Amino acid sequence: MNKTNIYQQRRNTLAKQMLSKTGGGIAVISTAPEVARNRDSEFPYRHDSDFYYLSGFDEPGATLVLKVSSKGQLESHLFCRPKDAEREIWDGIRLGPEAAPEVLGVEFAHSNQSLDQKLSELLADQEAIYIRLAESAEADRRLRHWMKQVRGQSRSGINPPSEFHDVECLIHEMRLFKDAHEIDTMRKAASISARAHVRAMQVCKPGMREYQLEAELLHEFRNSGAQSVAYNSIVAGGANSCILHYRAGSTELRSGDLCLIDAGCELDGYASDITRTFPVNGKFSGPQRALYDITLAAQEAAIAMTKPGNTFMQPHEAALQVLTQGLLDEKLLKLADYGSLENAIETGAYRRFYMHRTSHWLGMDVHDVGSYRESIEGIAQDEKPWRILKSGMALTIEPGLYIRPADDVDEAFWNIGIRIEDDAVVNDSGCELISRGVPVKADEIEALMKS
């Protein structure tokens, strides 16, 4: 299946949901705006994920409108920037509305300058409109303007939509399940990121700066064809490894310290997300190795529970068992204070050393969309059961331990931060780890760095 057909199929799937829910209607999805970086330049442009998921179009200034009749007939309208020879000299070639139908497989394309006028026509006599509810003040203003234009035609017997629905709920449920094209792209992204992590391990040596390792990652990402990072890379040496969202800075990487790298590229709109922790000098110390092996065992326990039929939380619960037992074994938690492993978990004793969950969804966004709980009517959100894992879901598996200096902690463990993260796609037999192109066992890491 070519890419155009993929996006057409997704639009058709959304149209069927709209037909089932409200007997048709209008869906309006705009892409992300350009954002100024400073006085005369913008941040590198990145499309809106929902918009791209349905259109495959990555230019700014665009809006997709889907009109679904009561008989299920779909009209796709793309509003995009018109061709402009002067601006294209400065900013690059635009697709333009004339070429869009053939290239993107939409039925109609228009200049984005006609959006307000055309929307008032498309909204006329529609029962329901699907939009992003409470998206922004500007989006609300534009919706009020469109509705006002339609209401102005009431004496002609034309009425505006009377029902408002959140289009994100429908799109995000679709995005939660990855098709073969998406999984293939994510495999390629993870492979590139794995090579970047290998590169960083191979060049790392005492005396380097964090930003120098970040440069190695970025080189491998772009040199391998990735368009961008999926998120700001974390390169954290020594005590910085205990800061969860630390940015690569100028700290010197010292012999005897660990380096934690959490970095992934974005390829063709899809994210990868890998974390590895390794010794700057290529050899784990005794305390470092002890905590590393505990963390890896926790990840292996979580991987074993990542399979269809289990809940989203079961891998996390499996990791907690191993991590908390390891903390007790290493006397970072004292059994006498809690009485049992179960009580240490129940009371959250582990949280001072492990304060995040083991997984999150992964896809077009690094923290991808989709509810973590089952959708059951009549039950409060926080009482709904955790989501059942199914084939096609993609998620990270990333346990960690972060030991900060404290009076009741053996000084040998101070400033050791460890996280091990891989990307998993749930399949019929369990899950596929798509990011294991970089070593994960301590012996393998040491061997790679030695070579």
Side-chain angles (χ1 to χ4, degrees), residues 221-232:
F221 291 166
R222 293 296 284 138
N223 193 52
S224 298
Q227 292 85 2
S228 177
V229 295
Y231 52 96
N232 294 322

Side-chain angles (χ1 to χ4, degrees), residues 376-394:
I376 301 176
E377 295 292 335
I379 300 178
Q381 184 64 30
D382 60 352
E383 295 179 358
K384 292 178 179 178
W386 291 101
R387 195 77 186 242
I388 300 296
L389 297 177
K390 297 180 181 179
S391 184
M393 292 178 170

Side-chain angles (χ1 to χ4, degrees), residues 12 244 375:
N12 288 333
L244 299 185
S375 179

Side-chain angles (χ1 to χ4, degrees), residues 128-409:
I129 180 171
Y130 289 79
I131 56 171
R132 291 181 170 121
L133 297 176
E135 177 187 12
S136 66
E138 174 60 19
D140 291 345
R141 184 198 66 78
R142 298 195 76 172
L143 178 60
R144 289 195 300 270
H145 175 71
W146 298 332
M147 295 291 288
K148 184 178 179 180
Q149 286 183 309
V150 181
R151 289 191 184 104
Q153 305 174 65
S154 60
R155 291 186 179 180
S156 301
I158 297 173
N159 296 305
S162 59
E163 297 181 28
F164 295 81
H165 297 272
D166 186 3
V167 73
E168 287 187 341
C169 292
L170 302 181
I171 300 173
H172 292 179
E173 184 68 15
M174 292 169 60
R175 283 177 53 189
L176 182 58
F177 296 89
K178 275 60 179 180
D179 59 30
H181 162 74
E182 292 177 288
I183 293 171
D184 183 60
T185 304
M186 292 176 68
R187 283 195 192 103
K188 293 175 181 175
S191 178
I192 292 171
S193 295
R195 292 200 298 271
H197 279 262
V198 168
R199 181 188 182 98
M201 289 181 187
Q202 288 177 321
V203 304
C204 181
K205 60 184 179 180
M208 292 185 72
R209 302 284 177 174
E210 292 166 337
Y211 60 74
Q212 291 177 298
L213 283 190
E214 181 188 28
E216 299 292 339
L217 297 166
L218 296 176
H219 173 89
E220 192 66 39
F221 291 166
R222 293 296 284 138
N223 193 52
S224 298
Q227 292 85 2
S228 177
V229 295
Y231 52 96
N232 294 322
S233 300
I234 297 169
V235 181
N240 296 335
S241 63
C242 295
I243 302 172
L244 299 185
H245 289 167
Y246 179 81
R247 291 284 300 277
S250 59
T251 299
E252 181 180 335
L253 301 172
R254 301 181 303 176
S255 182
D257 283 349
L258 293 177
C259 180
L260 185 156
I261 294 182
D262 186 339
C265 72
E266 179 177 288
L267 177 70
D268 298 338
Y270 287 84
S272 55
D273 188 1
I274 302 176
T275 306
R276 290 293 185 268
T277 309
F278 55 91
V280 172
N281 62 13
K283 184 69 176 178
F284 287 97
S285 70
Q288 291 170 352
R289 177 64 182 261
L291 295 186
Y292 189 92
D293 287 347
I294 291 168
T295 307
L296 181 56
Q299 192 199 36
E300 290 171 345
I303 291 168
M305 298 301 288
T306 304
K307 57 186 179 181
N310 282 355
T311 70
F312 171 80
M313 281 296 285
Q314 281 180 267
H316 176 64
E317 292 164 352
L320 280 185
Q321 289 276 336
V322 177
L323 291 173
T324 307
Q325 183 62 61
L327 291 169
L328 290 167
D329 292 343
E330 296 299 326
K331 306 298 189 294
L332 291 164
L333 294 177
K334 296 173 176 60
L335 185 60
D337 294 339
Y338 303 100
S340 67
L341 169 64
E342 292 71 21
N343 191 50
I345 294 174
E346 180 67 25
T347 57
Y350 60 85
R351 289 198 184 100
R352 59 185 294 210
F353 305 116
Y354 180 50
M355 59 292 295
H356 59 81
R357 287 217 178 101
T358 303
S359 299
H360 59 75
W361 303 134
L362 181 69
M364 301 186 84
D365 299 311
V366 68
H367 285 195
D368 209 30
V369 296
S371 174
Y372 288 96
R373 294 183 182 271
E374 294 291 339
S375 179
I376 301 176
E377 295 292 335
I379 300 178
Q381 184 64 30
D382 60 352
E383 295 179 358
K384 292 178 179 178
W386 291 101
R387 195 77 186 242
I388 300 296
L389 297 177
K390 297 180 181 179
S391 184
M393 292 178 170
L395 65 160
T396 63
I397 305 176
E398 51 175 310
L401 288 173
Y402 314 92
I403 317 300
R404 295 169 180 80
D407 292 339
D408 60 341
V409 172

